[in-house]
Amino acid sequence: MSKVNLNEIPELINSGKISRRMALQKLSVFVMQEKKVFGLQKFDDDFRSEIIVTLLEKGTRIFDAYNPKYGSFFTYFFCLIKGIMQTLLREHSRKEITENVFFDESVSSYNEKVEAYKNINYHDFEKPKIPYSYKTVEPKALELACKSGTYHIKRYLGTEQAKTKDEELRENLKKLPPFIADKVVLVLALKAAYYITGSQIELLCEMFNLDKNMLFDLIQQLKNEITTKDSRKTLIEERRNAAYFHHKKYTKQINKLEASSKINASYNKATLAQKYEKKTDSWINLTKQLQNGRINLRPTNKSIAKLLGLCERQISHYLLTAQKLGVEL
């Protein structure tokens, strides 16, 4: 044992024989030298270092919290170190469970990520993205652009590029009159304005002989109208993801308690079970809301009709025609 008598430290500080900072250093040295007093011999050097760092971070305030009415300074300091140990052990346990959850999710989603990376078109990386600043496009400008006779959708329906798409949709589009097929494709493209890619916009411009900058501006106009919806959907997705994370975390904590022999394990398990049910229900409900299209990031038929210079009923008719052709909206 160390020759330092911890019970004398408060008196030494009050008498001015040692400073509070020097007393804190003596306590830190005592913890490192007398590991067995606190049961620290069972832990590695890194954990013991964390104990010392936490003690030093608390600083000389630990002397202000000591009240001699409730016991000796050694008892107070012993409880302080034990409290720090329990706090760090809980933090390590939470960190371990969190890392395990992320690791399991990474393993389960590996195949999906592989497929997603396979579908990346690396030739499009350097292409400009849809601008945030745009010029207002009047319906008349788009209407005049689409009246050009230099485009015809039928010549795209028989190309090799089209054959790589949905075969059934391609065949059904062939059955429509060309001017109807043109409108169906254009309305579908505008309806998917939030998700449409640069290469798809370029293909539309080629098909309909449109000015690329004009169509980019038009797409951005529609996207700006659903910015609020995007924020709300992102918020719901974040809540869903947080609920799913806690669902997995509580599952691991419950499994860990089942293997524990601690006296209060059953009580803690019951508490975790309630939290697990709450977060699981929240995750399932939010997922259903997103799957059922509670917030669809699509422009309204009214907005598309206004840009194309058409009425809403015409837009609804073209979308209904697309649905009959097998397009999921």
Side-chain angles (χ1 to χ4, degrees), residues 60-93:
T60 56
R61 292 173 298 171
I62 65 172
F63 302 113
D64 298 327
Y66 169 62
N67 190 336
K69 293 181 181 180
Y70 300 114
S72 65
F73 183 78
F74 175 81
T75 303
Y76 162 75
F77 185 66
F78 179 84
C79 294
L80 176 66
I81 296 299
K82 282 293 186 180
I84 293 174
M85 288 174 59
Q86 291 301 317
T87 300
L88 291 177
L89 287 173
R90 281 196 296 269
E91 289 178 358
H92 285 195
S93 180

Side-chain angles (χ1 to χ4, degrees), residues 81-323:
I81 296 299
K82 282 293 186 180
I84 293 174
M85 288 174 59
Q86 291 301 317
T87 300
L88 291 177
L89 287 173
R90 281 196 296 269
E91 289 178 358
H92 285 195
S93 180
R94 292 193 190 101
K95 185 178 179 181
E96 179 185 358
I97 290 173
T98 300
E99 289 176 349
N100 287 339
V101 169
F102 285 131
F103 179 77
D104 291 345
E105 288 304 304
S106 298
V107 171
S108 62
S109 62
Y110 174 75
N111 292 331
E112 295 180 9
K113 289 182 179 179
V114 169
E115 289 300 320
Y117 280 109
K118 283 182 181 178
N119 295 327
I120 293 178
N121 186 355
Y122 295 96
H123 298 291
D124 290 344
F125 273 11
E126 302 301 324
K127 291 185 178 180
K129 307 299 180 184
I130 298 176
Y132 287 100
S133 59
Y134 63 92
K135 297 178 181 178
T136 302
V137 180
E138 298 296 332
K140 195 68 178 175
L142 186 65
E143 191 177 340
L144 291 173
C146 290
K147 284 182 178 179
S148 171
T150 58
Y151 78 91
H152 207 298
I153 194 172
K154 273 198 168 183
R155 68 189 178 94
Y156 287 90
L157 297 178
T159 62
E160 290 299 323
Q161 186 177 11
K163 290 179 180 178
T164 62
K165 308 295 182 182
D166 190 335
E167 187 71 19
E168 183 180 358
L169 176 60
R170 184 170 65 86
E171 293 300 323
N172 288 332
L173 280 172
K174 285 183 178 181
K175 300 174 185 177
L176 295 176
F179 67 94
I180 297 293
D182 298 339
K183 295 295 190 296
V184 169
V185 172
L186 186 58
V187 169
L188 284 175
L190 296 179
K191 197 69 174 175
Y194 186 82
Y195 303 99
I196 197 168
T197 64
S199 58
Q200 290 171 331
I201 293 177
E202 291 177 357
L203 179 60
L204 284 171
C205 292
E206 185 182 352
M207 290 171 61
F208 296 100
N209 194 31
L210 296 174
D211 178 69
K212 184 168 64 174
N213 292 330
M214 181 185 69
L215 188 56
F216 268 72
D217 291 338
L218 188 147
I219 293 293
Q220 190 60 44
Q221 281 180 242
L222 293 175
K223 287 185 69 174
N224 286 351
E225 291 182 9
I226 54 179
T227 302
T228 304
K229 286 184 177 181
D230 183 24
S231 300
R232 286 165 54 201
K233 185 176 182 181
T234 300
L235 181 61
I236 292 177
E237 288 175 342
E238 289 175 351
R239 289 174 54 200
R240 186 269 316 272
N241 294 344
Y244 177 72
F245 168 76
H246 285 98
H247 155 80
K248 299 288 287 186
K249 184 182 78 170
Y250 291 140
T251 300
K252 288 189 174 294
Q253 287 181 333
I254 291 172
N255 292 338
K256 199 170 184 179
L257 280 176
E258 287 179 347
S260 174
S261 58
K262 292 183 178 179
I263 299 175
N264 60 346
S266 58
Y267 170 78
N268 291 335
K269 183 180 175 182
T271 304
L272 287 174
Q274 292 179 347
K275 294 180 179 179
Y276 168 82
E277 290 179 6
K278 182 180 178 181
K279 292 300 181 181
T280 302
D281 290 341
S282 177
W283 163 52
I284 293 173
N285 291 333
L286 291 172
T287 300
K288 285 181 178 178
Q289 290 178 20
L290 292 169
Q291 289 176 341
N292 295 334
R294 176 185 173 185
I295 297 180
N296 292 317
L297 299 181
R298 297 197 297 259
T300 62
N301 291 356
K302 182 177 181 180
S303 300
I304 297 175
K306 184 178 179 181
L307 288 175
L308 294 179
L310 303 173
C311 67
E312 287 186 60
R313 292 183 62 184
Q314 287 176 290
I315 302 300
S316 299
H317 171 71
Y318 294 135
L319 291 175
L320 181 61
T321 302
Q323 283 183 307

